[in-house]
Amino acid sequence: MLHELLLALLGFTGDLIVDEREQRKTLGLAFNSDSPLSDECTFKLAPDISFIEPSERDLIERLIKLGFYYRELDRFAKKSRNLSWIRSVTSVHPLERADELSKQSREKKPSVYRRAIANGIGEILSVYRSAVLHIEQKLLAETTPILATVTEGLNKFFVLFPPLYEVILEIERDDIRGGQLLNVLNKRCHCGVPELRTCLQRLLWHGHQVMYNQLAAWMVYGILQDPHGEFFIKRQGDGDLDHRSSQEEVSEKLARTSVHETSLTDWHSGFHISLDMLPDYIPMRLGESILFAGKAIRVLRNPSPAFQFQKDKSFQQTMRGSQRIRGFMHSDFPETETELDADLTGGELLPQYEADKIEAMLKDLKESSEFHKRSFECTVDSVRAIAASHLWQLVVVRADLNGHLKALKDYFLLEKGDFFQCFLEESRQLMRLPPRQSTGESDLMVPFQLAATKTIAEEDKYFSRVSLRMPSFGVTVRSSQADMVRSKVSLAGKANLTSDTSVDGWDAIALEYSVDWPMQLFFTQEVLSKYLKVFQYLIRLKRTQMELEKSWASVMHQDHIESAQHRKDGINGSTSQQRRQGIRPMWRVREHMAFLIRNLQFYIQVDVIESQWKVLQTHIHDSQDFTELVGFHQEYLSALISQSFLDIGSVSRILDSIMKLCLQFCWNIENQESNPNTSELENIAEEFNKKSNSLYTILRSSKLAGSQRAPFLRRFLLRLNFNSFYEATARGVLNVVRQRPALPL
């Protein structure tokens, strides 16, 4: 009976100690290791044994529970570590191997994390087997009480096995894998039994070994090593990794796309964090840092083939300028980093010593016996800082980020005023007519190129990246540009332009800016659409301001010609003087329009764009982190849109209507120079007064005064209301009900 008890402790039943579950099986269905785990202990003493006392029976049944737990834990470990499905397909034809692997994966549902936990359980079971063997040797060598000796030798396992059995039951019942498995073990580690806590921490250590290996592949080489979908970093669209058809579709799609396009897709939307697999003790902030670091390493290790390191004087000057800036702003940099920067054209984007440094930090975490959250956070932050720094080096220094930002400011924010002034003058007569659907874009290309020849010539190397577009007009847009054009059309609000469109159709004028790798990492379609939104607003504003100036110059020129003709012919000028006196109120209205448009233009160009540009330049000089630069640039664009009131529908609609009224006024004046239609001009003037007073009232609201626009808004309001004219007029319009005012003579 001694040996049968010892065998039962190792999971083998016999005549005296039986397994009730086996007895309940039918004769044809033998018990096998793939059977589901039992919820309760099924090891019992045979009911026909009569020579054992009741107290001994209770003690033996308590002992053999350890054998039941051992057998179930061992079955779980063998099942989780079973690699026979790999050997079973090694002899299969290569064309059939994928089907076999997919079938086996669906049936077995392999898990790398379960296999690691099974290895830890195997270590605990080996200690238990050694204890049983030691008890057997002791009982054979000495005549000691059998049950007392066995109980004393296995007493500590009564604390370990039941909780471990509950863990594997939960894992099997809920099919827990990956990060969820780490969560279960981490929660159970918080217990008051030191032996059990040590045991569970060891299992968690085994699980963390898998996670650290995946982190090393992701953060050192940029490879997502996750065959069974258990890592918390996932590729976008990986809903079912076991579906072979979806894998084939993904592989075919990747084969059709170039390395360059795949790299951009991976950066912007290729990977995401799976919240189901992210352990609870790893904050979302760290998960995002891990995601960013891996994507950055992928970019640095897989540069675009078209990207060539420039070695001309301009590049060397940019390098030296960057070093001077960083040397001035960061005088505490070590010499080794400066030497690395000096040889940027010949080295790798990610030097090998940096990759070795990241790997060494992860190896230190892997070798630690316990998971220390603080150490893990420091390591992840360090790796992220290394990746962000080298990505900054790539984008800012090698790809000349500041040059591209300056080019976008020159053309999208109208910094090159002479160019756009010339362009609007050359296209002024064209824009007096509605755009033609078939040739609208090509018609604009002539004044655009002519303005470039007169003002830019060959001095600006970035001008070749700028192209003029009229959405829904002109040449056919390539498929790769379709999304950009659709966004531009929606931003311009002119998605349904037809052949009989009005002159407002020219408001859909758009600019495109061509960016190469790696600048697409920084200038996304969303960023370029924001630049386009500001550009279309500014070009309408400048066009309105130019028309107000041109109308005055044109009418004054005509008036001087008529006066000279009257003097030459000796005709009395009383009629001309009377006509001037009659339209003088119109010029007063024109001056009010020009005053508002000039001040609005000055406010946006100087108080908003220039001030925010200086803030952005300061951030670029002070930062060496790519993600910080992206954030600063987003703040820069948001400030431009916000402080220009483009995000306030009521204000932007009033400004649009004011600009339309100004253009209508100018065209009516010029078209009716000899005999102006006073009633129509009065209607325009009255509507302009209402709109301008409403604009002033909204801008003075407490809601805007308390926002981030407040410092700049006060300057704009001070320019508009320096003599309290707007304030008095707005108060009169709001508080006094009166008939339509006639224009003063």
Side-chain angles (χ1 to χ4, degrees):
M1 184 174 178
L2 169 63
H3 288 89
E4 187 155 346
L5 174 61
L6 294 176
L7 286 173
L9 290 173
L10 294 178
F12 300 99
T13 56
D15 295 332
L16 298 179
I17 301 174
V18 298
D19 187 353
E20 291 182 345
R21 186 166 59 165
E22 288 185 0
Q23 291 181 346
R24 289 194 296 266
K25 297 277 185 182
T26 59
L27 191 61
L29 295 175
F31 175 76
N32 59 70
S33 60
D34 293 332
S35 301
L37 298 178
S38 177
D39 293 338
E40 58 183 9
C41 178
T42 58
F43 280 19
K44 302 290 182 183
L45 273 175
D48 56 351
I49 297 177
S50 59
F51 58 86
I52 298 179
E53 297 294 330
S55 60
E56 292 178 341
R57 175 181 288 273
D58 293 340
L59 187 56
I60 291 174
E61 288 189 345
R62 180 172 178 266
L63 283 172
I64 61 179
K65 284 184 179 180
L66 292 179
F68 169 78
Y69 292 141
Y70 171 85
R71 190 190 71 177
E72 298 300 304
L73 290 170
D74 188 55
R75 284 178 54 210
F76 173 80
K78 289 180 179 178
K79 182 179 179 181
S80 300
R81 290 186 295 179
N82 182 24
L83 300 178
S84 60
W85 60 276
I86 297 179
R87 294 193 298 271
S88 66
V89 298
T90 54
S91 59
V92 181
H93 192 274
L95 296 177
E96 301 176 1
R97 187 170 300 172
D99 290 333
E100 187 66 24
L101 285 173
S102 178
K103 178 181 177 182
Q104 292 287 349
S105 298
R106 289 195 296 271
E107 293 176 355
K108 297 292 184 180
K109 293 183 179 180
S111 169
V112 183
Y113 282 84
R114 282 199 194 182
R115 192 181 307 158
I117 301 304
N119 292 333
I121 291 176
E123 292 179 358
I124 299 171
L125 296 183
S126 65
V127 176
Y128 173 78
R129 287 194 299 269
S130 299
V132 174
L133 179 61
H134 179 70
I135 290 172
E136 182 184 22
Q137 293 173 348
K138 187 175 182 180
L139 291 176
L140 293 177
E142 304 176 6
T143 57
T144 56
I146 295 177
L147 295 181
T149 303
V150 174
T151 304
E152 186 272 335
L154 301 179
N155 196 39
K156 63 179 179 179
F157 293 100
F158 288 105
V159 180
L160 300 179
F161 277 9
L164 289 178
Y165 180 62
E166 291 179 4
V167 171
I168 65 169
L169 272 181
E170 184 179 357
I171 293 173
E172 285 286 318
R173 181 179 63 250
D174 299 334
D175 192 24
I176 299 176
R177 308 145 58 82
Q180 298 172 349
L181 187 54
L182 299 181
N183 268 339
V184 171
L185 294 175
N186 183 66
K187 290 177 181 178
R188 291 182 178 269
C189 283
H190 301 291
C191 64
V193 183
E195 294 85 356
L196 178 59
R197 184 170 63 249
T198 302
C199 178
L200 291 172
Q201 285 177 347
R202 182 64 181 174
L203 296 183
L204 186 61
W205 179 86
H206 278 279
H208 281 150
Q209 298 305 297
V210 179
M211 185 184 74
Y212 288 138
N213 288 335
Q214 291 177 324
L215 285 176
W218 177 247
M219 300 175 74
V220 178
Y221 303 102
I223 299 173
L224 185 60
Q225 190 66 31
D226 186 24
H228 308 305
E230 298 177 285
F231 194 35
F232 54 84
I233 303 295
K234 290 188 180 296
R235 182 176 284 278
Q236 194 72 27
D238 284 354
D240 185 6
L241 292 174
D242 297 332
H243 231 291
R244 182 168 175 263
S245 61
S246 63
Q247 284 184 335
E248 289 180 349
E249 291 175 1
V250 171
S251 61
E252 290 176 2
K253 187 181 297 184
L254 292 177
R256 288 193 300 266
T257 57
S258 64
V259 177
H260 169 60
E261 293 175 350
T262 304
S263 175
L264 292 178
T265 303
D266 287 349
W267 175 260
H268 293 302
S269 60
F271 300 94
H272 70 283
I273 297 176
S274 173
L275 296 180
D276 293 337
M277 291 300 176
L278 181 66
D280 293 340
Y281 51 88
I282 297 180
M284 188 64 183
R285 180 190 67 83
L286 281 184
E288 292 176 348
S289 296
I290 293 170
L291 176 64
F292 168 80
K295 293 197 301 182
I297 296 299
R298 287 177 67 88
V299 169
L300 295 171
R301 286 189 175 274
N302 300 282
S304 172
F307 180 68
Q308 300 293 335
F309 299 146
Q310 301 180 9
K311 298 182 180 181
D312 55 4
K313 289 184 178 180
S314 62
F315 179 75
Q316 296 295 340
Q317 291 173 357
T318 304
M319 293 281 299
R320 289 193 291 270
S322 172
Q323 291 176 359
R324 285 197 298 270
I325 291 172
R326 291 191 298 124
F328 176 74
M329 303 302 297
H330 305 279
S331 57
D332 55 345
F333 277 4
E335 288 293 328
T336 55
E337 190 166 345
T338 306
E339 293 173 1
L340 173 65
D341 295 343
D343 191 28
L344 282 175
T345 55
E348 298 178 352
L349 297 180
L350 182 68
Q352 185 59 40
Y353 79 90
E354 292 282 29
D356 295 340
K357 181 180 177 181
I358 296 174
E359 192 171 8
M361 288 189 290
L362 293 175
K363 186 178 180 181
D364 292 339
L365 287 179
K366 188 176 180 181
E367 293 176 351
S368 177
S369 59
E370 295 184 16
F371 179 84
H372 298 285
K373 185 177 179 180
R374 181 61 181 166
S375 301
F376 184 78
E377 289 181 355
C378 292
T379 299
V380 170
D381 289 339
S382 299
V383 175
R384 182 203 160 281
I386 292 174
S389 176
H390 284 280
L391 200 58
W392 178 93
Q393 192 80 15
L394 171 65
V395 172
V396 176
V397 178
R398 298 191 182 191
D400 190 18
L401 172 66
N402 219 27
H404 289 280
L405 287 174
K406 184 64 170 61
L408 288 169
K409 181 171 179 279
D410 287 343
Y411 298 105
F412 282 79
L413 305 183
L414 273 59
E415 175 74 8
K416 285 189 176 296
D418 55 343
F419 168 74
F420 287 101
Q421 181 72 22
C422 183
F423 166 68
L424 291 176
E425 288 180 354
E426 296 291 342
S427 61
R428 183 167 177 252
Q429 296 302 322
L430 175 64
M431 291 187 183
R432 289 291 186 90
L433 302 174
R436 291 178 292 184
Q437 185 173 6
S438 58
T439 61
E441 182 175 313
S442 58
D443 290 342
L444 275 181
M445 290 305 298
V446 175
F448 188 79
Q449 294 296 337
L450 188 60
T453 303
K454 290 182 177 180
T455 59
I456 296 176
E458 301 295 331
E459 63 184 23
D460 189 356
K461 63 179 181 180
Y462 293 101
F463 178 72
S464 59
R465 297 179 178 272
V466 181
S467 56
L468 185 68
R469 291 289 180 266
M470 279 288 292
S472 299
F473 287 90
V475 296
T476 303
V477 182
R478 296 190 300 271
S479 60
S480 61
Q481 300 171 336
D483 294 336
M484 179 187 296
V485 170
R486 280 195 292 271
S487 64
K488 291 173 182 174
V489 174
S490 62
L491 285 170
K494 302 288 187 265
N496 296 318
L497 295 173
T498 58
S499 58
D500 58 347
T501 183
S502 66
V503 291
D504 293 337
W506 296 112
D507 292 343
I509 293 176
L511 288 184
E512 284 185 6
Y513 189 77
S514 173
V515 289
D516 301 326
W517 191 94
M519 296 313 300
Q520 287 116 333
L521 307 178
F522 193 87
F523 296 112
T524 63
Q525 290 299 326
E526 180 185 2
V527 168
L528 293 177
S529 67
K530 290 182 179 179
Y531 272 107
L532 176 61
K533 185 177 182 179
V534 179
F535 165 76
Q536 291 180 325
Y537 175 60
L538 292 178
I539 197 69
R540 288 200 300 270
L541 189 62
K542 188 169 185 64
R543 181 187 173 199
T544 304
Q545 183 241 350
M546 187 193 73
E547 287 294 336
L548 288 169
E549 294 176 352
K550 291 291 184 180
S551 64
W552 170 260
S554 175
V555 174
M556 289 297 100
H557 177 69
Q558 183 66 28
D559 187 71
H560 292 160
I561 292 177
E562 291 179 358
S563 299
Q565 186 66 32
H566 289 164
R567 287 195 300 271
K568 180 179 180 181
D569 297 340
I571 302 174
N572 188 1
S574 59
T575 305
S576 176
Q577 190 70 21
Q578 185 178 1
R579 186 179 65 84
R580 292 182 195 171
Q581 194 71 18
I583 65 171
R584 182 171 298 171
M586 302 302 156
W587 297 126
R588 188 178 298 114
V589 173
R590 190 213 69 87
E591 180 56 32
H592 291 168
M593 291 178 173
F595 176 78
L596 175 59
I597 296 299
R598 278 198 307 267
N599 280 281
L600 178 60
Q601 191 177 27
F602 189 86
Y603 161 75
I604 293 176
Q605 291 289 351
V606 178
D607 294 338
V608 177
I609 295 178
E610 284 300 326
S611 62
Q612 293 300 324
W613 173 258
K614 290 181 180 178
V615 173
L616 178 62
Q617 289 298 302
T618 302
H619 287 319
I620 292 176
H621 292 165
D622 292 346
S623 174
Q624 273 208 316
D625 190 310
F626 178 80
T627 52
E628 287 183 357
L629 283 185
V630 172
F632 293 144
H633 188 243
Q634 291 289 352
E635 292 176 3
Y636 167 72
L637 288 177
S638 299
L640 295 185
I641 292 175
S642 174
Q643 293 173 16
S644 300
F645 317 114
L646 293 177
D647 57 344
I648 307 177
S650 58
V651 176
S652 60
R653 285 191 294 270
I654 289 178
L655 289 173
D656 284 341
S657 60
I658 287 176
M659 286 188 276
K660 289 178 181 178
L661 289 172
C662 293
L663 291 176
Q664 291 174 11
F665 182 87
C666 295
W667 293 336
N668 283 332
I669 286 289
E670 289 193 48
N671 293 335
Q672 303 171 9
E673 289 178 356
S674 60
N675 187 20
N677 189 341
T678 309
S679 61
E680 186 175 352
L681 293 177
E682 285 181 355
N683 291 333
I684 295 176
E686 180 183 359
E687 190 66 22
F688 169 76
N689 289 332
K690 290 180 180 179
K691 295 291 185 181
S692 60
N693 292 331
S694 299
L695 173 66
Y696 180 77
T697 304
I698 294 175
L699 294 180
R700 291 186 70 251
S701 66
S702 57
K703 182 178 179 181
L704 289 180
S707 66
Q708 64 168 340
R709 309 173 182 87
F712 309 96
L713 183 58
R714 292 191 189 99
R715 300 177 191 173
F716 180 45
L717 292 175
L718 179 62
R719 292 193 178 96
L720 285 182
N721 195 42
F722 71 95
N723 59 357
S724 301
F725 172 78
Y726 268 97
E727 183 177 5
T729 308
R731 187 183 298 115
V733 170
L734 292 177
N735 298 333
V736 179
V737 179
R738 54 185 177 179
Q739 297 179 352
R740 189 178 79 179
L743 289 173
L745 297 177

